[in-house]
Amino acid sequence: GAGVSQSPSNKVTEKGKDVELRCDPISGHTALYWYRQRLGQGLEFLIYFQGNSAPDKSGLPSDRFSAERTGESVSTLTIQRTQQEDSAVYLCASSLNPAGTGELFFGEGSRLTVL
Amino acid sequence: AQSVSQHNHHVILSEAASLELGCNYSYGGTVNLFWYVQYPGQHLQLLLKYFSGDPLVKGIKGFEAEFIKSKFSFNLRKPSVQWSDTAEYFCAVGSAGNMLTFGGGTRLMVKP
């Protein structure tokens, strides 16, 4: 597609449930990032995929968070046993260039609300 | 590790006023610097970037930023703001092998 696509755009879930967020990057972009933006705060890095290299998971806040990416295509961010503090907008971005060296193209985000 | 600090969390200006948003970073090596903007209801998009060369960078919509290496700063400026510039602005720093680190953002409101 023309841009980064994320789904769902909004998700309301109960505490303790698992959620899956999906990101479809721009075709040909080898780098894919997940960031989290809590209300009134900046972007918090979660995880980074670059081609077939092992992902950089250094930003994942706990072992309840995991992400996968198949090749250079779709990525899924999974949050298990959700907590209220997980409520945030989860942003996906893709880039032609390796980390830190090029423009990131962001999706619209998935707004997660944990009740 | 990289870090980015944006001094102002909220800025309110009247139309035609001049704008300067502060951004300071900490990192010992060569950096790439970015300003992203998020207009209400829209996704984040690149405003301008600096990789090397002329430290005064021009971006879209009349924005510019100046990289001052000695001050570890990359402040965003616009001589005369418009109501349509109301948005949240994020400074970011990246370096080879390190993901982009974002500042906390500055919410700009321009009063008509």
Side-chain angles (χ1 to χ4, degrees), chain A residues 20-67:
Chain A
E20 237 179 45
L21 307 176
R22 176 189 166 106
C23 173
D24 203 343
I26 293 172
S27 178
H29 281 195
T30 57
L32 186 148
Y33 304 74
W34 284 98
Y35 284 85
R36 176 169 73 175
Q37 187 177 21
R38 287 181 166 140
L39 189 63
Q41 298 185 23
L43 277 70
E44 176 188 3
F45 166 73
L46 297 177
I47 188 167
Y48 162 65
F49 296 90
Q50 173 61 49
N52 293 318
S53 302
D56 180 343
K57 303 179 182 181
S58 60
L60 294 178
S62 78
D63 59 8
R64 296 187 295 104
F65 287 72
S66 62

Side-chain angles (χ1 to χ4, degrees), chain A residues 97 101-103 105, chain B residues 32-36 46-52 54-60 65 74 92:
Chain A
N97 305 92
T101 63
E103 177 181 356
F105 293 83
Chain B
N32 301 313
L33 297 159
F34 307 81
W35 276 96
Y36 282 81
L46 183 70
L47 196 56
L48 49 79
K49 61 188 177 187
Y50 171 80
F51 284 6
S52 63
D54 189 343
L56 185 61
V57 179
K58 305 270 186 200
I60 60 172
F74 191 56

